Amino acid sequence: MPGVIAAFTGADLASEWAAPMPCAWPVTPDMKNPPHYPLATQRACYVGDGVAVVVAESPEQAIDALAGIVVDYEEEPAVTDLEDAAADRVLVHPDIGTNRAYTWELISDPDALKKAFDSAAHTVKERYIQQRLIPAAMEPRGVCVVPHPFGGDFTVYSATQIPHILKVMLGITCAVPETSLRVVAPAVGGGFGSKLNVYAEELLALALARKLRRPVRWVEERSEAALATIQGRGQIQEIELAADADGKITAVRVHLIADMGAYLQLVTPGIPLLGAFLYHGVYDVPVYGFSCTSVFTTKTPTDAYRGAGRPEATYAIERAIDALARKLEMDPAEIRRRNFIRPEKFPYSSAAGLVFDSGQYEMALDKSLELVGYDQLRQEQRRRRENGSARLLGIGLSSYVEMCGLAPSRVLASLNYSAGGWEAATVRVLPTGTVQVVTGTSPHGQGHVTSWSMLVADRLGVDPQNVEVLHSDTAVSPHGMDTYGSRSLSVGGTAVAMACDRVLDKARVIAAHQMEVAEEDLEVSAGTFSVRGTPEKSMTLQQVAFEAFTAHNLPDGTEPNLDGSITFDPPNFTFPFGTHVAVVEVDTETGKVDLVQYAALDDCGNQINPLIVEGQVHGGIAQGAAQALWEEAVYDDSGNLLTATLADYLVPSAAELPSFKTGATVTPSPTNILGVKGVGEAGTIASTPAVMNAVVDALSHLGVTQLDMPASPEKVWRALTNVGKEAGR
Amino acid sequence: MQVRMRVNGTEYVHEVEPRLLLVYYLREVVGLTGTNVGCDTSSCGACTVLLDGESVKSCTMLALQADGAEITTIEGLASPDGTLHPVQEAFRQNHALQCGYCTPGMVMAAVSLIREHPDLDEATVREGLEGNLCRCTGYHNIVKAVLAAASAMSAGVPA
């Protein structure tokens, strides 16, 4: 066909792979991980599982050629329901004999857990569905692999969050020496976890560039993104709270069934574990039990999506505590106050085994209520109920804590994760005074260049305009663990700050030597070393850098050039927190929910750039509210994705959202020298339960308390109609 | 087939396939890659450009349908000396972009919206940008930026 260069099936390319596609998180020793190759050979296990590849001169020619491929599928039954999957009625992968990938448990004291529930004054048991979500970064994925004309090297350009991890995994999977690979993540148009992966198309592009000895490019279409980019969430959650007569929670017990999809992608099995420690939320709960059974289904693999495990945990506990408040006829704010971990308890050792670094949860709640005008809203809510208004008001709270700053490498080891959680940084003061920063983090919209410049300018006393930040190219930044899990500032930024300190230490030695004074006699301010008591005797950092460059007069044992490098492995996670308040209007005649007000009070520790912090919160709120009200990856019983376009999958526009009120408290983290915690996921984690609690709050007096996401007009209307029918019986 | 149009003030004539969409003509034939493609259903608006001064989704029309038209893309918005258009400047000042992928389309849609509505309020901006999706900002700062740009432009900042 015109323009077609080659076409291959999975079998044609079988010899290209030295290993199956990587899963870096075998959470249990007996976890089932069916081999997964870039193209299926015998069985395709979900709609989106590639079976053939066409290489052509243009995308149009490739599409024409695809139409010429006829695949003779022999259809097998789909497995789309999680409980059905867990029952092993139909197997997604008959070879492994079960749909259960693993069961993972975290139960601090089984006897105490049983006793807490047996002797509780009150218990609530809730069941929630975390629907599947499509990450929908505005830029779909894309990859281009350029083979060098000789020498066997490849440059891989990929719209990825993880150029460093990708390089290692491409090398292992395609049997290309790591030294022959350069991976570049150019300006990447959003990720939200969906580009924290090693994808079939990246491996195929490399293998085909090697086979065909020419550059190979692949750019995803939106409907392909829906089918073949990982999806998020996908859990059935059962959560039980035990409480004493005053509403003080004495134990939390959780069981999940988590949807892995058809295969395990890079960190698929670990996602439930990232939430596993946090189902007691911000509350001081002495006894804790968690278990998760993860199952294969004939759907797109799930993996990290903004918050990854923590939104699920926060949703469950925040909805359940509202259920407890309803049972006790207590205000949702009051029940939270009674249960918060008190500020004096930090560092707080949780029953789940974490050490929370710092927190002032009640202060955040108080300020959030003030920000939104809680008391007036409650009055307005009453007024509308009394007037019989068809537009009811609902006010929803969500107090959250997350674990960020992934991650202490030893903790990752204890969770069976296959890599570390450190981050690398180099800071160089060039002879002309420009400061060059090399970071192993890999931004895709978070503004690292701005924040890192500010941080370095502040620490070294230079103009931020004179700071150059290099990232996302393994040729200039050879070491890194990339960007996800709100880790970049607390791990990567801390590394940059520590590298700055090394630069200052070295500069001090050189400056003292040059000015013939003792190091202790030097003070540094605004990028200048001056002699204490003789301020006219001074050297700027730029002068020191030039002296370090010429190396004409350095103290014995001091190496030329002014630079510092460090690899920082965080001693603990960081624990950002806050309270969000959502206000919705529910039309009882149509079931339509409008999000009319939203207030967010977040504490991410010290802030480098408050504008960027707010921006992260805004975007997070929109994404989390979207799960509550609009978004759902819907599959039919045959496993076909029915929401594979942005016309069917309801990513909200500006018209569906209000402006947000934001506020902050600052409780520094003692875990790192910057006192920062991270903010990339907070908005998403907090907002989903806040919005759903608001919807339920609007309707609970009518008897509607069981409502799953998304709270679409149809679902709300049906819930109202059903309670109406029951009341009429 | 032959297509002729002015893009950002420059006249182009090309032979193109009839099925070529305007957005791919702009990106791959003319070489202006500022206009992005985010979906295949005209839902996301990343590809918004001005056609004879009005915003259109350039993935929704064929290059041939733009024959004879005057097109402005994001590259044509700033002054030749590099001074940003007031909408671009307002986006910059208000942190109205994060990953930046929706930004060219969002800016072009906003330029058109401000032209059509000299007295913009928040509700009009939100309704008016309904066809442009952003996954990063929650629209908060985009709305702020568009209102700021509208007021700067009505105060006489040259567009």
Side-chain angles (χ1 to χ4, degrees):
Chain A
M1 293 177 87
V4 174
I5 291 153
F8 302 104
T9 63
D12 296 333
L13 296 180
S15 63
E16 299 291 324
W17 320 120
M21 286 175 57
C23 172
W25 204 337
V27 295
T28 60
D30 61 349
M31 183 185 81
K32 305 285 190 295
N33 181 17
H36 178 200
Y37 287 93
L39 292 178
T41 49
Q42 298 298 314
R43 302 173 76 245
C45 290
Y46 71 102
V47 180
D49 207 354
V51 295
V53 60
V54 171
V55 186
E57 296 281 355
S58 77
E60 291 79 13
Q61 288 164 337
I63 288 167
D64 286 348
L66 282 179
I69 297 177
V70 180
V71 185
D72 187 11
Y73 287 108
E74 189 180 308
E75 207 175 316
E76 294 182 38
V79 182
T80 58
D81 177 84
L82 298 193
E83 282 163 328
D84 189 39
D88 282 340
R89 197 180 50 83
V90 175
L91 298 182
V92 179
H93 302 283
D95 291 356
I96 58 174
T98 176
N99 288 327
R100 295 169 180 236
Y102 66 87
T103 293
W104 191 91
E105 280 187 343
L106 172 71
I107 297 172
S108 54
D109 183 341
D111 296 335
L113 190 62
K114 185 174 182 307
K115 206 172 136 205
F117 276 92
D118 290 347
S119 63
H122 304 283
T123 58
V124 294
K125 182 172 185 174
E126 297 274 298
R127 177 188 153 99
Y128 305 124
I129 309 290
Q130 288 281 338
Q131 80 271 37
R132 274 176 170 256
L133 300 176
I134 295 174
M138 291 319 301
E139 181 189 42
R141 292 179 295 134
V143 58
C144 178
V145 179
V146 182
H148 295 203
F150 52 86
D153 290 356
F154 300 90
T155 300
V156 178
Y157 300 90
S158 184
T160 181
Q161 296 173 225
I162 52 163
H164 298 93
I165 297 172
L166 180 60
K167 178 172 164 244
V168 175
M169 295 302 183
L170 287 173
I172 292 172
T173 311
C174 296
V176 176
E178 214 183 320
T179 46
S180 298
L181 286 172
R182 172 185 176 197
V183 178
V184 183
V188 174
F192 314 108
S194 72
K195 294 170 187 169
L196 189 195
N197 230 304
V198 177
Y199 280 107
E201 294 85 354
E202 291 168 320
L203 297 160
L204 281 167
L206 176 58
L208 293 170
R210 173 172 62 188
K211 206 175 172 70
L212 302 171
R213 297 180 187 200
R214 56 186 292 166
V216 171
R217 184 178 78 149
W218 173 80
V219 177
E220 186 175 57
E221 291 182 348
R222 179 57 59 186
S223 50
E224 290 174 316
L227 294 169
T229 298
I230 63 93
Q231 297 180 0
R233 318 285 188 254
Q235 293 181 354
I236 297 174
Q237 309 178 300
E238 274 178 15
I239 181 166
E240 294 170 88
L241 308 184
D244 68 16
D246 298 327
K248 178 82 189 67
I249 302 170
T250 52
V252 171
R253 184 159 58 195
V254 176
H255 178 66
L256 304 183
I257 304 179
D259 187 351
M260 304 284 96
Y263 300 101
L264 304 180
Q265 282 277 351
L266 190 65
V267 293
T268 304
I271 302 307
L273 272 61
L274 290 172
F277 301 86
L278 291 175
Y279 277 83
H280 65 84
V282 282
Y283 310 115
D284 192 356
V285 176
V287 184
Y288 187 73
F290 170 93
S291 67
C292 174
T293 296
S294 291
V295 297
F296 293 106
T297 56
T298 52
K299 300 184 194 174
T300 300
T302 59
D303 207 311
Y305 173 57
R306 202 169 190 175
R310 290 153 292 161
E312 294 93 317
T314 306
Y315 180 78
I317 180 65
E318 285 305 287
R319 278 203 68 180
I321 199 167
D322 264 25
L324 181 63
R326 280 194 300 275
K327 193 162 192 173
L328 299 172
E329 296 181 350
M330 200 182 282
D331 187 274
E334 177 56 26
I335 195 141
R336 285 173 170 78
R337 278 185 219 289
R338 289 191 187 188
N339 283 286
F340 281 143
I341 301 164
R342 315 297 318 163
E344 62 274 13
K345 283 208 163 186
F346 290 90
Y348 171 79
S349 295
S350 78
L354 295 176
V355 179
F356 287 27
D357 55 356
S358 59
Q360 303 188 73
Y361 301 155
E362 189 166 7
M363 182 169 85
L365 172 76
D366 288 341
K367 285 186 184 289
S368 73
L369 298 183
E370 207 177 292
L371 194 62
V372 80
Y374 188 67
D375 295 337
Q376 297 91 307
L377 286 167
R378 285 284 175 216
Q379 283 170 21
E380 171 65 12
Q381 181 182 46
R382 265 195 301 278
R383 200 186 59 76
R384 292 200 196 183
R385 286 182 185 178
E386 284 160 12
N387 292 352
S389 169
R391 287 188 72 76
L392 293 174
L393 205 63
I395 307 144
L397 304 187
S398 162
S399 296
Y400 74 95
V401 62
E402 48 166 334
M403 47 188 256
C404 293
L406 305 180
S409 296
R410 286 180 183 177
V411 175
L412 291 178
S414 72
L415 295 172
N416 282 347
Y417 184 63
S418 307
W422 47 263
E423 197 46 80
T426 296
V427 173
R428 306 179 185 118
V429 188
L430 303 182
T432 55
T434 298
V435 180
Q436 204 169 50
V437 179
V438 183
T439 177
T441 60
S442 191
H444 36 282
Q446 298 90 341
H448 293 177
V449 171
T450 304
S451 298
W452 280 210
S453 299
M454 292 171 70
L455 160 60
V456 169
D458 199 38
R459 216 147 180 103
L460 297 183
V462 299
D463 185 339
Q465 301 287 349
N466 273 342
V467 182
E468 179 190 32
V469 180
L470 303 174
H471 60 84
S472 306
D473 178 344
T474 61
V476 294
S477 160
H479 303 295
M481 278 293 169
D482 307 313
T483 287
Y484 43 84
S486 306
R487 72 186 301 272
S488 291
L489 182 59
S490 65
V491 190
T494 298
V496 169
M498 292 169 89
C500 286
D501 291 351
R502 289 204 169 167
V503 165
L504 288 175
D505 289 346
K506 183 171 182 181
R508 180 185 292 274
V509 172
I510 297 170
H513 175 78
Q514 296 257 333
M515 291 191 276
E516 298 179 330
V517 294
E519 282 172 46
E520 322 58 276
D521 292 336
L522 285 181
E523 48 192 18
V524 60
S525 167
T528 300
F529 288 90
S530 52
V531 180
R532 206 167 273 125
T534 323
E536 65 280 3
K537 205 170 169 187
S538 67
M539 278 183 89
T540 63
L541 194 66
Q542 179 174 351
Q543 287 170 322
V544 177
F546 192 78
E547 293 297 334
F549 168 71
T550 64
H552 292 174
N553 181 20
L554 298 180
D556 289 343
T558 299
E559 290 175 16
N561 287 318
L562 185 54
D563 51 18
S565 289
I566 193 160
T567 304
F568 171 62
D569 199 342
N572 190 7
F573 297 99
T574 58
F575 295 84
F577 63 91
T579 293
H580 287 204
V581 189
V583 184
V584 299
E585 282 183 354
V586 183
D587 186 323
T588 53
E589 288 168 358
T590 63
K592 182 164 184 281
V593 178
D594 289 316
L595 180 61
V596 292
Q597 273 196 64
Y598 199 96
L601 195 294
D602 295 283
D603 191 323
C604 59
N606 290 330
Q607 300 188 4
I608 303 294
N609 184 324
L611 200 60
I612 287 179
V613 168
E614 277 182 18
Q616 289 292 315
V617 171
H618 294 154
I621 294 168
Q623 236 165 333
Q627 176 175 14
L629 297 180
W630 303 297
E631 295 182 14
E632 180 174 21
V634 180
Y635 283 82
D636 70 12
D637 292 343
S638 309
N640 294 301
L641 180 62
L642 302 179
T643 53
T645 71
L646 287 176
D648 301 304
Y649 187 81
L650 304 178
V651 171
S653 79
E656 280 84 49
L657 291 162
S659 285
F660 311 121
K661 293 178 188 166
T662 51
T665 55
V666 176
T667 308
S669 172
T671 303
N672 58 68
I673 57 170
L674 296 174
V676 298
K677 292 192 166 189
V679 74
E681 295 157 303
T684 315
I685 289 169
S687 60
T688 309
V691 174
M692 279 307 284
N693 280 342
V695 177
V696 174
D697 183 65
L699 302 174
S700 59
H701 66 296
L702 301 173
V704 176
T705 54
Q706 303 298 316
L707 200 59
D708 274 312
M709 301 183 289
S712 61
E714 182 189 344
K715 230 179 259 172
V716 172
W717 183 86
R718 281 186 193 281
L720 280 165
T721 309
N722 287 341
V723 293
K725 272 185 203 151
E726 276 166 32
R729 262 179 212 151
Chain B
M1 294 173 77
Q2 196 185 69
V3 66
R4 173 189 299 268
M5 66 186 93
R6 273 179 93 76
V7 183
N8 302 333
T10 304
E11 186 87 22
Y12 294 92
V13 183
H14 287 107
E15 282 295 321
V16 299
E17 273 199 64
R19 67 173 165 178
L20 186 70
L21 295 169
L22 178 59
V23 65
Y24 290 112
Y25 175 75
L26 294 171
R27 285 180 59 86
E28 285 168 16
V29 181
V30 181
L32 295 169
T33 53
T35 305
N36 287 330
V37 181
C39 70
D40 2 271
T41 46
S42 303
S43 307
C44 81
C47 64
T48 306
V49 299
L50 300 184
L51 181 131
D52 295 330
E54 256 187 70
S55 64
V56 295
K57 292 182 176 178
S58 61
C59 76
T60 311
M61 58 191 299
L62 301 168
L64 289 174
Q65 290 174 294
D67 190 42
E70 172 94 37
I71 303 286
T72 310
T73 70
I74 191 73
E75 290 94 339
L77 217 48
S79 305
D81 70 356
T83 307
L84 294 179
H85 184 279
V87 175
Q88 291 173 304
E89 184 57 31
F91 268 59
R92 196 173 104 98
Q93 291 294 336
N94 289 283
H95 184 41
L97 60 148
Q98 290 179 29
C99 85
Y101 198 77
C102 75
T103 311
M106 198 67 85
V107 166
M108 299 316 283
V111 168
S112 181
L113 183 70
I114 293 171
R115 274 188 201 155
E116 290 157 28
H117 299 271
D119 298 313
L120 273 180
D121 58 10
E122 179 175 340
T124 315
V125 174
R126 287 186 177 276
E127 289 298 329
L129 295 181
E130 200 181 4
N132 290 71
L133 297 180
C134 168
R135 196 56 155 170
C136 296
T137 65
Y139 306 101
H140 182 103
N141 287 343
I142 291 177
V143 173
K144 220 165 122 183
V146 176
L147 290 170
S151 87
M153 285 162 77
S154 69
V157 176

